[in-house]
């Protein structure tokens, strides 16, 4: 079986939002996998953000549509997600983003093929852990003054945490050791 290699034309063809005749977006009923993938993207954005504004104010609002392409070594999920935040630069409470999530599950297949010709048992070196990566059409842009407030808040929290650690350390040093 040949692996599916989506072309740019194919990706452009599936990146659309189904809409009703009046132009409003159509809500689709979807399973838990797209929600898991959209949550992965959200948590990745929150982890990489230095100011902390994505942690404090960015949430997953909804998924407008999703399309999954199954390949031999990976699955590609293309979706339009809606994030909510009171801090969007546009002033809107929600904004939609086109996201592509690739999930690799080829390690297991590759290890099985390698083990066919090896004297090792098939369980050796077998990995079922899936690696994920994503692409987003643009990063959520937040208000500059809110980003600065979040940076200050993050620094104040770190100072407070450091003071607690220092106080605990001082208390340990005051107690006599028997």
């Amino acid at each position: 079986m040949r692996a599916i290699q989506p072309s740019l034309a194919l990706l452009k063809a599936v990146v659309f939002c189904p809409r009703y005749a009046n132009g409003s977006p159509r809500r689709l009923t979807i399973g838990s996998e797209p929600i898991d993938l959209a949550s992965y993207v959200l948590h990745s954005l929150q982890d990489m953000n230095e100011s902390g504004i994505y942690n404090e104010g960015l949430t997953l609002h909804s998924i407008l549509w999703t399309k999954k392409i199954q390949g031999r070594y990976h699955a590609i999920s293309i979706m339009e997600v809606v994030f909510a935040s009171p801090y969007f630069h546009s002033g809107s409470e929600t904004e939609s983003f086109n996201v592509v999530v690739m999930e690799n599950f080829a390690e297991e297949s590759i290890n099985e093929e390698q083990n066919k010709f090896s004297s090792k048992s098939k369980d050796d070196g077998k990995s079922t852990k899936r690696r994920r990566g994503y692409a987003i059409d643009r990063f959520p842009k937040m208000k500059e003054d809110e980003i600065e407030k979040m940076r200050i808040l993050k620094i104040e929290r770190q100072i407070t945490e450091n003071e607690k650690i220092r106080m605990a350390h001082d208390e340990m040093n005051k107690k006599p050791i028997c």
Side-chain angles (χ1 to χ4, degrees):
M1 183 169 171
R2 198 175 125 220
I4 298 173
Q5 297 295 326
S7 66
L8 185 58
L10 174 63
L11 291 176
K12 285 182 180 177
V14 296
V15 178
F16 69 96
C17 179
R19 300 195 178 269
Y20 290 109
N22 67 3
S24 64
R26 188 181 320 163
R27 293 245 181 219
L28 303 176
T29 304
I30 56 177
S32 64
E33 184 182 19
I35 295 169
D36 179 49
L37 294 174
S39 295
Y40 160 74
V41 172
L42 175 65
H43 293 303
S44 295
L45 287 169
Q46 291 171 337
D47 288 345
M48 68 177 256
N49 182 252
E50 291 181 13
S51 70
I53 196 161
Y54 288 172
N55 293 341
E56 297 291 326
L58 192 65
T59 59
L60 178 61
H61 180 268
S62 60
I63 300 171
L64 294 180
W65 60 267
T66 183
K67 170 80 174 171
K68 187 168 185 172
I69 301 170
Q70 194 74 33
R72 180 175 179 190
Y73 298 109
H74 58 272
I76 300 173
S77 297
I78 304 165
M79 60 184 75
E80 185 173 358
V81 298
V82 178
F83 292 132
S85 177
Y87 309 123
F88 281 135
H89 188 265
S90 66
S92 175
E93 290 184 15
T94 61
E95 289 186 12
S96 64
F97 299 86
N98 291 321
V99 177
V100 176
V101 180
M102 290 188 70
E103 188 170 25
N104 181 337
F105 50 84
E107 291 178 36
E108 185 174 322
S109 301
I110 291 170
N111 288 335
E112 284 177 8
E113 288 177 18
Q114 289 172 349
N115 288 334
K116 283 182 197 175
F117 305 106
S118 171
S119 60
K120 296 179 183 179
S121 73
K122 287 197 173 198
D123 291 333
D124 290 348
K126 199 172 185 179
S127 173
T128 57
K129 183 178 179 187
R130 292 183 174 196
R131 292 183 295 169
R132 290 178 174 168
Y134 72 95
I136 188 166
D137 63 345
R138 60 193 161 76
F139 288 101
K141 185 162 176 59
M142 304 298 190
K143 296 175 184 171
E144 291 296 325
D145 57 334
E146 295 297 333
I147 292 172
E148 189 61 29
K149 287 178 188 175
M150 291 297 169
R151 282 189 186 133
I152 293 168
L153 183 61
K154 184 178 178 181
I155 291 169
E156 289 173 351
R157 286 180 184 161
Q158 189 64 46
I159 290 170
T160 304
E161 185 178 320
N162 290 345
E163 288 175 357
K164 287 179 184 177
I165 292 170
R166 209 173 291 121
M167 289 173 57
H169 184 266
D170 291 345
E171 286 296 318
M172 287 178 57
N173 289 336
K174 287 181 183 178
K175 293 181 182 178
I177 300 175
C178 299

